[in-house]
Amino acid sequence: MKTRFVFLIFLISGLGIISCQNQSESTRVNDSTEKVYYFDFDEVDHYSIKISGSAIDSLSYNSDSLPEPQKFLSEMVLRNVPESILDTAFIANLESVGFIKHDIPEDKIDALNDIFREKTFDPLDPSSMCMPEYRDILIFRKSGAITGIVKVCFVCSVILIRGTDAETKYFGADRGYQKLSAILYPKS
């Protein structure tokens, strides 16, 4: 009986230690003062599209029967593509389905760099409950080569990021979506 009791104490203590270790690992944040940026870039192309909610609904409900340009538009607006920054063929077709290309001014590069970097704290709202509609696509380049691709849904505060090994789960913390929107859509 005494052996069982000692075993039970060791078992409970061991589970408590493992639980504490797992908790500290899952809540661990980058406490380094070094900034880790998502991409190395010197220019950014911004593609945006003005499309109504009803047009997006028709893309999502009829996706199997859509002609090829609308299938492509549906994929860009509603799906988590591209899979990697190596999937770049889509860029050439963005304007043909209604996306408009905007060059980001060079004086905004540092602000974008500050937005697209690892954060050291949890955002207040860690997840979104809406279905993202990606109306904005950013192509990050360094000396002309693509270094990152980002799709943004400002309505849901959801982002799809390709081309970085940096920790992106805290994107949007410290008003990242608002800052990005202000850069992409400056008030005239």
Side-chain angles (χ1 to χ4, degrees), residues 41-107:
F41 62 96
D42 55 16
E43 68 179 281
V44 179
D45 298 329
H46 170 220
Y47 293 86
S48 66
I49 190 167
K50 293 186 190 242
I51 185 171
S52 70
S54 60
I56 290 174
D57 288 344
S58 70
L59 290 174
S60 64
Y61 293 126
N62 304 319
S63 62
D64 293 336
S65 62
L66 292 173
E68 203 52 47
Q70 280 75 27
K71 281 184 184 178
F72 173 74
L73 179 59
S74 174
E75 213 172 72
M76 289 298 99
V77 174
L78 297 171
R79 307 285 181 258
N80 290 338
V81 294
E83 292 294 322
S84 78
I85 64 167
L86 299 177
D87 302 334
T88 60
F90 75 94
I91 297 169
N93 298 319
L94 289 173
E95 291 177 283
S96 70
V97 295
F99 280 89
I100 298 171
K101 181 180 178 182
H102 314 274
D103 293 322
I104 302 295
E106 194 174 312
D107 65 339

Side-chain angles (χ1 to χ4, degrees), residues 101-155:
K101 181 180 178 182
H102 314 274
D103 293 322
I104 302 295
E106 194 174 312
D107 65 339
K108 300 295 183 189
I109 297 297
D110 286 340
L112 282 172
N113 227 348
D114 192 52
I115 293 168
F116 289 96
R117 66 176 176 82
E118 286 186 350
K119 306 298 187 268
T120 57
F121 53 91
D122 290 332
L124 296 176
D125 181 17
S127 64
S128 174
M129 295 301 290
C130 77
M131 181 71 157
E133 298 170 352
Y134 301 109
R135 290 182 169 97
D136 295 275
I137 300 173
L138 302 171
I139 310 297
F140 292 82
R141 299 176 188 270
K142 177 74 172 188
S143 301
I146 295 174
T147 59
I149 299 170
V150 172
K151 291 172 63 175
V152 184
C153 176
F154 286 109
V155 174

Side-chain angles (χ1 to χ4, degrees), residues 3-4 16 22 96 115 139 148 157 179:
T3 307
R4 286 185 188 169
N22 286 342
S96 70
I115 293 168
I139 310 297
S157 295
K179 291 175 184 177

Side-chain angles (χ1 to χ4, degrees), residues 25-37:
E25 287 175 14
S26 67
T27 58
R28 182 178 55 88
V29 294
N30 178 9
D31 55 1
S32 167
T33 57
E34 178 184 340
K35 293 181 179 177
V36 178
Y37 297 101

